[in-house]
Each structure stands twice: as structure tokens, then as C-alpha cells.
Amino acid sequence: SGSSGINVSRQTVLISCPYKLVLRMYNTAKRKVEDFKSIEENKVGMYVCGLTVYNDMHLGHARTYIAFDVIRRWLEFSGYEVNFVQNHTDIDDKIIKKANQENVSFEDITNKYIKRTQEDLDKLQVKAPTFMPKATDYISEMIVIIENLIEKGNAYVTEPAEGALAPDVYFSVHSASDKFGTLTGQKLEEMRAGSRVAVDERKQHPADFVLWKGAKEGEPTWDSPWGKGRPGWHIECSAMSLKYLGEHFDIHGGGIDLKFPHHESEVLQTECHTNHSPMANYWLHSGHLTINNEKMSKSLDNFFLVRDVMKEYSAPVLRFYLLNGHYRSPIDFSDSNLAESHSAYKRLEGVYNRLESVSKSGEQEPEELVSKINKCNLEFLEAMNDDFNTREAMAILFQFSRFVNGFELELLAKSLQEKILDLFSRLGGDVLGLFTRVEIDSDFEAKIESLIAQRNNARAAKDWNKSDSIRDKLTSLGVEIEDTSEGTIWKLIQ
């Protein structure tokens, strides 16, 4: 995709930070905000759980991807070299069900949705991870971990489940009761059967979770010491984080719904396997995206797919909308909120576009403007160092843009124009991933052409109310139209 003067590189770019401020972040494991200190100076190892790829990405997923993209960008902006690992879960009950429904292999399903997910992420300007492993490429590593856990008494082999051709392997939470509750604060004895964990008579404790599933007829399987089968969900991330980040790394992240049981299970199995605690120094979790205050999820069938929303709103507007809230706070989705974000983003980007397109310069260097640049830089840095507060950071950019609007840009000295543009490019572009030009989606373009055709028909019929209504609709989509002797032409204004 193209860009508007900003190169949002897919490689790690280190940008020097002019202020020395302490980065603080909320650590789920400690249930408080802490100063950040990396294990290795100027380097950060970071693992974020990715998608189970059996469908397109919905807005809740996008919220998590974008939140951790900005966290990664801020660490790089602050001078860290970030080893960012994000996985794909490419074997799962839902994937197998979808493959059976479509009468194709599970690889056909996962390859299709990995490709489509990446297309969506590219449009949303989410930087590619350093590594993006697939679970099925690390089956042998998972088997080694499970063997070790059985040998230590942290896992046990059960009878085959009903309809299965081989045994399952479960993790024994009782064997690691001292570690249980690292993220939730819950004690093992407080667990109730059926509370977010499956009741199974073959388990030694209701909270025990599966490490290996014995094969069932018609399912994809791999060989193991316990017979043919496939890995459980939780063991995947332990194997991949160990492979790319080792037994001790800086940050582990994901959506808040993964805190239990997924992340709690990761802690237990990884730390029992390595005999090292903690596996990660900081645990970060992004908040839910809700609809009418109810969590957006595929299981509740109340989700909006990213590529569907991008037929109505541009990718930069969607990214702006999802960043206009603290990453840990829930965001309630509505069309009216997206429309407000479109208007707000258009105002902010309008100032940036004016700066980028200014062709003349003068000699003015107003002291109050120079002072405001320094103040905006410092306040933005303070906001981002305060647990990555993107909502406050964007509010600071808005305040600065309104102040800049009070000056005739063409009269400012060239060096001052460049400083202002540099501020927008660094803070709005490099950190927040805004102000980027992306290719227009073909569905979005077809929608615009259809509306213009409808408006032309209304104008021919002298139905001016309908014509004005369609123009307003186009404006809400970020489209500016002009009627010429050769017909109606349009351009994006966002």
C-alpha cells in the first residue's frame, strides 16, 4: 500500500526518545502498575497469543492486535529492540468442524484464513511480528514438554475419551497448587466443578486441563508415545514461547478472555517444565470490545467482521476508533461511535495533510508555537509511559492540532514547519500507526460508485432532498464529490 510521506516500515526501526521517562504498565500477575525493566538492556522479548484461524477476524480480535501493535511500537520508539512473537492456532475442534462442513482439509481452512487475516492486518497497519509461528509446526516440541511433565508427576495419561482411539494426557493442577492462581489470584480449593472448566470423570481434579487429545476417527493426528492424537490448546503457546523467547522473557499479552484458563494454564505447564518462575515478568491483557455492554464473540454470534466494517469505514478510521480508549478498558461498539471517530479522525488528519502539502514558507517562529511543540512531545510521552494511554495521547495530539490551526502555515519558517510535521509523523505515524494511505477495497469502491449513480439519478429526477441525503452519506464515508462537465468525480478525504 502507498503512504502519505510516512514510511511505516515492516522492519524494526529505532527512534531516539528525547526525554527520559519511566515506562509503567499494569501487570496482571501483580494486579498493579509497575515500572518496566527489561531482562536484557535495550531488548524486549514479547509473546502475544494470536487467532484460532477458522474464520475471518472480528473487531474484538482487531482491538487486541492493534493494542499490542502500539505497545510494540512504543517500546521500539523508546529505544528497545523488540523480539515480537505472535502465533496462529491452526489445529482445533472448530477448525476440524469447519473443514468437515466444507469437505476440505484442515490445512485448506487454516491457510485460507491466515492469508485473509494478514490482509486485514496489513490494511490496519499492524506491523508484522518478528516471528509468527503455526502450532502444527511445533508438535514434536509439545510432545517433549508433555513427556517431561509426566515424568515429573505434573501430568497423567487417562483412559480414551468416548469415541477416541487413544488416551488423553492431562495436566495435574494439584501437583502445582503453589503456582495456581498466578494471574487470577484464585486458590485451587476455591475452584468449583463446572466453573469455566469441563467436567470429566477421568480427571483427578475438575481444573485439570488436556495436554494431548487421543485421536478420533476422521481427525488429523500425529504420532506420540501415547498413540495417535493432537495437542490441546494451552500447550501450543508454551512450546512456541520457549522456542523463540526461552524460559524467561519480558512480556506476555493477549485479550482479557485468555487470562483464564489459557494463560493460567501456560504458567503452570511452562514453569513446571522449566523449573523457572516466572516465565514472563509482565502479563498484559487488553479489554473486551462489547456490543450493548455484552462481550463481542463468535460463540455469542454478536460479532462484526473487520473486512465487513471496512466496507463502510476506512482502515485508518477503524484503527483510530479502536485506539480511542485505554487498551485495558472495554470499548462499546456502535455505528454512531464509529461515525464520531470518522469525523474526529478527519479533523486530525486534515491538519497533517495541510502540513504535508504546504509549499511556501516565511520567517515567523512564534515562541508560543515552539513552546507548544515541546509541551506536546513531553505530554504525549508521559501519556504513553503511563500504561500506554493511547486515549490521552490522541487527545494531546488533538489539542496540538487545534493550536496549530490558529497559524498561517505558509508564513512559518521552513525549519518550524518541518518540526511540526515531524511531531505528527513520529507520534501519530510511527507510534499510533495513523496518517497512512491504503489501497481502496474493491467493495468499498463499488459502494461509492453505486451511491454516486443513485445521486445522479436523483438529480436527473430533480429529487434534491434525496440527492443531498446521498451526498451526506458519501461525506460520512470520507468521500468528497465534485460535479463537473464530464460527470461526478470523487476522492477520499480521510
Side-chain angles (χ1 to χ4, degrees):
S1 61
S3 67
S4 180
I6 299 175
N7 177 26
V8 182
S9 173
R10 301 194 69 80
Q11 303 296 319
T12 297
V13 178
L14 302 182
I15 307 170
S16 62
C17 178
Y19 301 98
K20 293 297 182 184
L21 299 172
V22 176
L23 172 59
R24 292 173 58 77
M25 60 184 72
Y26 184 85
N27 187 354
T28 305
K30 300 293 181 63
R31 288 170 279 287
K32 65 180 181 180
V33 176
E34 297 183 315
D35 291 355
F36 176 71
K37 182 174 176 57
S38 60
I39 297 168
E40 188 175 351
E41 189 174 2
N42 298 326
K43 292 186 177 182
V44 172
M46 184 173 174
Y47 188 95
V48 177
C49 292
L51 289 184
T52 301
V53 281
Y54 68 98
N55 200 345
D56 286 322
M57 180 170 62
H58 66 56
L59 284 182
H61 299 138
R63 200 269 168 105
T64 296
Y65 272 113
I66 290 171
F68 283 98
D69 178 60
V70 170
I71 289 171
R72 181 254 191 102
R73 285 169 178 263
W74 183 247
L75 289 165
E76 291 178 348
F77 182 89
S78 302
Y80 292 100
E81 180 183 339
V82 181
N83 183 5
F84 185 85
V85 183
Q86 187 158 38
N87 73 298
H88 285 307
T89 294
D90 64 337
I91 186 65
D92 177 87
D93 290 340
K94 298 184 183 74
I95 293 171
I96 295 169
K97 181 180 178 181
K98 184 103 169 184
N100 290 337
Q101 287 172 344
E102 298 188 12
N103 197 29
V104 297
S105 71
F106 84 94
E107 292 99 337
D108 288 339
I109 294 295
T110 57
N111 290 338
K112 172 184 175 179
Y113 288 110
I114 286 173
K115 179 176 181 292
R116 288 167 68 88
T117 295
Q118 195 56 56
E119 290 169 356
D120 290 344
L121 293 175
D122 285 345
K123 289 178 182 177
L124 291 168
Q125 297 300 319
V126 173
K127 296 177 67 176
T130 316
F131 299 100
M132 202 165 200
K134 295 191 300 183
T136 56
D137 289 337
Y138 297 90
I139 302 291
S140 60
E141 286 85 351
M142 297 178 209
I143 289 172
V144 168
I145 296 171
I146 296 170
E147 285 184 302
N148 179 255
L149 292 173
I150 292 173
E151 186 179 328
K152 289 180 174 180
N154 296 120
Y156 56 94
V157 181
T158 70
E159 292 298 314
E162 185 177 350
L165 307 175
D168 292 343
V169 181
Y170 278 89
F171 185 89
S172 168
V173 295
H174 187 74
S175 72
S177 57
D178 59 320
K179 300 179 187 298
F180 191 90
T182 296
L183 301 180
T184 64
Q186 192 174 28
K187 299 299 181 185
L188 185 58
E189 55 270 19
E190 296 169 354
M191 285 292 299
R192 298 192 308 275
S195 177
R196 289 207 67 182
V197 292
V199 177
D200 188 332
E201 295 297 329
R202 297 173 304 138
K203 293 183 181 182
Q204 295 176 0
H205 188 281
D208 289 354
F209 54 89
V210 68
L211 299 171
W212 187 263
K213 294 184 177 185
K216 291 184 178 179
E217 196 69 47
E219 290 186 348
T221 62
W222 290 262
D223 291 328
S224 82
W226 320 284
K228 289 186 177 296
R230 58 187 170 90
W233 176 31
H234 310 311
I235 195 66
E236 299 172 0
C237 289
S238 288
M240 289 181 278
S241 67
L242 283 166
K243 172 70 175 180
Y244 289 100
L245 297 171
E247 63 183 27
H248 185 208
F249 55 94
D250 296 291
I251 297 172
H252 196 311
I256 189 65
D257 53 318
L258 299 183
K259 182 171 75 170
F260 183 86
H262 184 53
H263 287 165
E264 191 76 48
S265 300
E266 274 191 74
V267 170
L268 295 176
Q269 63 201 13
T270 301
E271 293 185 6
C272 286
H273 171 61
T274 64
N275 294 323
H276 186 282
S277 181
M279 64 175 287
N281 285 352
Y282 303 87
W283 287 83
L284 276 56
H285 292 95
S286 57
H288 289 309
L289 193 68
T290 62
I291 300 175
N292 298 322
N293 297 313
E294 185 177 48
K295 173 194 166 187
M296 182 183 293
S297 73
K298 291 176 181 174
S299 60
L300 296 173
D301 198 30
N302 67 344
F303 61 92
F304 291 86
L305 297 179
V306 167
R307 54 183 51 212
D308 288 341
V309 176
M310 287 196 296
K311 293 174 185 176
E312 297 286 334
Y313 295 92
S314 71
V317 168
L318 181 54
R319 184 179 176 103
F320 175 90
Y321 166 71
L322 293 173
L323 288 176
N324 194 26
H326 192 279
Y327 79 96
R328 287 194 290 114
S329 301
I331 297 178
D332 198 50
F333 173 81
S334 71
D335 195 61
S336 61
N337 287 344
L338 258 176
E340 287 178 11
S341 288
H342 162 260
S343 298
Y345 178 73
K346 187 171 68 174
R347 291 196 302 272
L348 184 64
E349 194 194 37
V351 177
Y352 172 77
N353 286 339
R354 281 182 57 212
L355 285 162
E356 202 184 35
S357 61
V358 66
S359 57
K360 299 178 182 179
S361 61
E363 297 180 358
Q364 292 183 4
E365 295 187 69
E367 187 176 320
E368 64 271 29
L369 184 51
V370 174
S371 176
K372 196 73 171 180
I373 292 172
N374 294 331
K375 187 172 185 288
C376 178
N377 263 308
L378 180 57
E379 289 179 345
F380 187 97
L381 297 173
E382 287 174 338
M384 290 301 294
N385 274 331
D386 182 18
D387 196 25
F388 313 103
N389 193 338
T390 55
R391 181 175 177 83
E392 179 63 23
M394 290 204 298
I396 290 162
L397 272 185
F398 265 105
Q399 292 167 7
F400 180 70
S401 68
R402 284 195 294 268
F403 188 78
V404 170
N405 260 339
F407 295 86
E408 289 288 337
L409 297 181
E410 292 80 3
L411 301 180
L412 300 178
K414 184 68 173 177
S415 60
L416 188 53
Q417 291 175 349
E418 290 173 349
K419 283 181 181 178
I420 299 169
L421 181 59
D422 178 65
L423 182 148
F424 274 89
S425 298
R426 288 185 301 108
L427 306 187
D430 295 327
V431 174
L432 298 178
L434 303 174
F435 310 142
T436 53
R437 296 287 185 265
V438 296
E439 294 177 1
I440 299 172
D441 185 275
S442 59
D443 290 330
F444 185 67
E445 186 171 7
K447 182 183 183 71
I448 294 169
E449 297 289 357
S450 174
L451 286 169
I452 289 174
Q454 292 173 42
R455 178 175 174 272
N456 288 339
N457 290 337
R459 282 163 55 83
K462 299 189 185 308
D463 187 346
W464 308 118
N465 287 335
K466 184 175 182 180
S467 171
D468 290 344
S469 174
I470 294 173
R471 178 188 281 271
D472 291 342
K473 174 63 175 175
L474 286 163
T475 300
S476 74
L477 292 173
V479 175
E480 184 179 88
I481 59 173
E482 181 183 352
D483 297 312
T484 72
S485 58
E486 297 179 357
T488 303
I489 60 175
W490 62 273
K491 67 177 180 179
L492 289 179
I493 53 175
Q494 53 185 11

